[in-house]
DNA sequence: GTGAAAGCGCTAACAA
DNA sequence: TTGTTAGCGCTTTCAC
């Protein structure tokens, strides 16, 4: 761990180039209205000195930080147990760096962390926030809102509190579910069951809605509650088999659930897909490709979601600058990304 | 996306409390040498105004940022395809927030990103860096070094370039591998095979070393090269079975590899663990628990690694302050975290 | 123990 | 087009 050498300042560059600090500043920030010859001299000086602007000094006056916070609640282990979050982060990171913004990661574990995050956000350390809010009654959204920071949500927030000025990005959980069930029906399956996720998560609720869209008249006993884990999938599958031995298809709310269901199906001697066809959701690779047989599932563009979230936020931030009250409406409140069905061997 | 309200400054707090800015500053930063009565007044004013220090202004003078960069190379998909990285991040995040430091995430995809990261690090935006360097000839370490930022590495860096002043944290890949193989041997297995990972990663190389520690005399045909993926595990397992049909145990370099091997073993009619015992590495939950049968594997404390990395870095940063050249040696160069064998059903 | 004042490095009016 | 100047909000000597 070495010492930090004193870094060159604007002043130093100015002196070396034989110009004023203002000129250097202009050149450094997208030169405009600086004679070419001078600009070139400045650029050379910058190069020679290895000058890098001091972001703290810059922020102090511009009130911009070129930084965005990503807030995620960690206890919802789903966020962490699977690569979902990582992929989302990757998308966000790409978009942010493409626009020269830094990514500040804020992970929360509970109440005490909420206070911290609220303080940080309200403290004006970042220009905006990307928030993952996957649960009903999640305190995070309210917190972020009261911090008064421009925000885009990942996943449809659950408030029906009239205010629909929230920007969010979600995948088409409902439509994806519909396509899964349609696919199953198209295979000639008539007794299609559904294993839900934890229904306090909007994604799980939406997938159930999608199932119902297609099977409005479904026997309620064909619906069993899971929890997005494979253990939950096993339990639900047993229930289902006990209640409706004649079922010939299962739409599982996610891939882990499907993996559990698959195990029980085999254990009970049901052949997949011959006796029972199975479709999952997520296309979580390490799981979907590893099941036996490989899982047919609904893929969402997770990285794309992340990228889009960042893009919408950044766009909103830019809009702030012109500050034209007459300007046409801002970012769309919610954006839903399409899903695609990935055919493998279970349906 | 609402507007940012003007936030109260130190000045405002000072005025309200009827003291000078200096006094407020003292109170806000671990008060010392301020009369209780005054301090109390100040604290109340802070509370009432909802004052939060402006970090930019503070950084400008202290040259500290209370921020640490986490640098990870993304193309090495392993980092992103599994929950490994997320868990590590969690550990880092916990430790950093416990010490009031922010986590700035820097993800890289290639050459061009390296330049960006180098610039950022050299730009003095953060107090230190946590770098994941898993590959041989990874340019990142050199980059970070030349940026002159205090750094702790995740995973043993591969340079044998004399300079062993690098601080790093790794799990005991070699010892873990030994314990896996010992376990297999303890089961009475005599023809133990090993499927390696990509040997340009130190973790894979170290696990192979561990295998060799125990089976120095192993028939070279009992070692097949994998790549940390299940597909690679399948290929290697087929090879192994073709070359040495009599093998009775396999130590796979990671869980994904083991999952692939398991599939081939079943395909070829070998019973696990009766005919062939299998041990993996990582204890990557969504995989190790989902295999059929559930995988016996070597667990590493991934979150603990993250936490430790952050702790070592922070400790190093603190040490910088006293700046006592006479002070006893700094952080240990390398710290190796123990692994534990998790018994499930494959061995 | 407390306050006054000098700057940290930069941007943004405003002059020239 | 370029330079001068006044801060941005904070910490930190240095007097008192």
């Amino acid at each position: 761990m070495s010492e930090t050498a004193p870094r060159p300042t604007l002043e130093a560059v100015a002196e070396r180039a034989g110009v004023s600090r203002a000129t250097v500043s202009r050149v450094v920030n997208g030169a405009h209205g600086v004679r070419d010859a001078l600009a070139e001299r400045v650029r050379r000086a910058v190069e020679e000195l290895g000058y890098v602007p001091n972001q703290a000094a810059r922020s102090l006056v511009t009130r911009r930080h070129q930084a965005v916070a990503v807030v995620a609640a960690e206890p919802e282990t789903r966020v962490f147990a699977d690569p979902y979050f990582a992929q989302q982060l990757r998308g966000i990171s790409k978009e942010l760096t493409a626009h020269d913004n830094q990514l500040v990661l804020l992970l929360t574990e509970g109440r005490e962390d909420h206070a911290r995050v609220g303080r940080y956000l309200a403290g004006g350390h970042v220009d905006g926030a990307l928030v993952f809010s996957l649960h009903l009654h999640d305190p995070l959204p309210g917190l972020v809102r009261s911090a008064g920071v421009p925000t885009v949500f990942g996943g449809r927030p659950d408030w029906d509190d009239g205010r629909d000025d929230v920007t969010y990005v979600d995948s088409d959980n409902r439509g994806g579910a519909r396509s899964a069930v349609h696919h199953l029906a198209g295979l000639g399956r008539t007794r299609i069951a559904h294993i839900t996720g934890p229904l306090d998560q909007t994604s799980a609720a939406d997938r159930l809605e999608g199932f119902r869209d297609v099977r409005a008249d479904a026997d309620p006993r064909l619906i069993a509650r899971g929890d997005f884990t494979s253990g939950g999938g096993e339990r639900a599958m047993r229930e289902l088999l006990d209640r409706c031995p004649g079922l010939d298809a299962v739409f599982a709310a996610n891939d882990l659930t499907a993996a559990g269901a698959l195990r029980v199906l085999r254990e009970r001697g049901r052949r997949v897909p011959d006796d029972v066809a199975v479709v999952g959701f997520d296309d979580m690779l390490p799981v979907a490709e590893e099941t036996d047989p490989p899982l047919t599932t609904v893929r969402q563009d997770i990285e794309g979601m992340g990228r889009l979230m960042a893009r919408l936020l950044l766009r909103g931030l830019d809009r702030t600058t012109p500050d034209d009250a007459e300007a046409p409406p801002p970012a769309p409140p919610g954006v839903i990304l399409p899903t695609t069905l990935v055919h493998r061997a279970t349906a």
Side-chain angles (χ1 to χ4, degrees), chain A:
Chain A
M1 304 207 201
S2 62
E3 275 323 303
T4 35
R7 302 194 301 109
T9 71
L10 240 206
E11 179 94 49
V13 177
E15 188 174 355
R16 176 156 197 132
V19 299
S20 75
R21 278 149 56 205
T23 300
V24 178
S25 177
R26 291 185 187 108
V27 173
V28 169
N29 312 314
H32 209 61
V34 174
R35 230 188 299 276
D36 266 8
L38 266 200
E40 194 41 53
R41 275 226 312 271
V42 171
R43 272 190 285 271
R44 195 159 41 237
V46 165
E47 185 68 26
E48 291 167 356
L49 262 34
Y51 168 74
V52 183
N54 179 322
Q55 182 64 41
R58 181 181 274 175
S59 293
L60 189 54
V61 31
T62 59
R63 275 121 200 303
R64 283 289 225 119
H65 302 264
Q66 303 285 76
V68 167
V70 171
V71 185
E74 196 280 312
E76 0 278 53
T77 40
R78 177 163 194 281
V79 165
F80 259 89
D82 64 39
Y84 195 96
F85 181 59
Q87 262 176 266
Q88 203 127 225
L89 261 187
R90 165 155 89 191
I92 290 172
S93 164
K94 278 186 184 166
E95 191 68 23
L96 288 184
T97 51
H99 292 82
D100 238 323
N101 275 66
Q102 296 314 319
L103 191 173
V104 178
L105 189 61
L106 265 29
L107 263 22
T108 71
E109 306 250 357
R111 291 270 164 225
E112 62 288 14
D113 284 350
H114 287 155
R116 170 177 60 81
V117 169
R119 221 179 315 123
Y120 185 74
L121 256 24
H125 297 296
V126 290
D127 301 327
L130 261 17
V131 179
F132 292 92
S133 154
L134 306 157
H135 285 65
L136 234 46
H137 315 307
D138 189 331
L140 234 34
L143 201 89
V144 174
R145 165 171 297 180
S146 68
V149 186
T151 303
V152 172
F153 288 90
R156 179 171 66 77
D158 68 305
W159 335 306
D160 285 330
D161 66 347
R163 319 200 35 168
D164 42 22
D165 58 339
V166 259
T167 305
Y168 71 88
V169 174
D170 204 348
S171 12
D172 187 6
N173 289 303
R174 189 163 176 172
R178 274 199 298 261
S179 75
V181 183
H182 272 137
H183 176 67
L184 257 9
L187 258 27
R189 309 296 165 139
T190 57
R191 313 251 326 137
I192 304 177
H194 177 41
I195 305 178
T196 73
L199 295 175
D200 61 334
Q201 297 193 22
T202 55
S203 61
D206 290 351
R207 288 169 200 181
L208 173 56
E209 281 309 297
F211 174 80
R212 287 209 169 110
D213 287 344
V214 183
R215 313 294 283 183
D217 53 344
D219 182 341
R221 291 176 311 159
L222 280 171
I223 299 179
R225 175 141 183 179
D227 56 6
F228 277 162
T229 71
S230 65
E234 290 184 359
R235 274 191 302 279
M237 193 68 243
R238 290 206 178 88
E239 245 177 65
L240 248 19
L241 249 16
D242 291 344
R243 288 204 297 243
C244 316
L247 62 80
D248 57 10
V250 179
F251 165 48
N254 77 347
D255 291 348
L256 245 23
T257 301
L262 246 23
R263 266 202 305 269
V264 170
L265 252 10
R266 181 167 47 209
E267 183 184 300
R268 298 273 180 108
R270 301 293 213 285
R271 289 168 309 158
V272 176
D274 313 75
D275 301 331
V276 180
V278 176
V279 177
F281 205 113
D282 279 353
D283 195 31
M284 175 174 153
L285 281 196
V287 173
E289 288 183 332
E290 303 300 328
T291 59
D292 183 20
L295 190 66
T296 293
T297 188
V298 178
R299 168 184 299 163
Q300 18 182 359
D301 180 8
I302 299 175
E303 187 178 324
M305 282 183 60
R307 214 161 25 212
L308 187 54
M309 287 176 67
R311 191 171 308 155
L312 291 180
L313 180 64
L314 259 19
R315 185 181 301 169
L317 295 181
D318 281 348
R319 224 181 37 85
T320 302
T321 315
D323 217 348
D324 184 6
E326 310 289 20
V335 180
I336 308 293
L337 257 33
T339 59
T340 56
L341 193 65
V342 179
H343 292 256
R344 290 203 183 86
T346 60

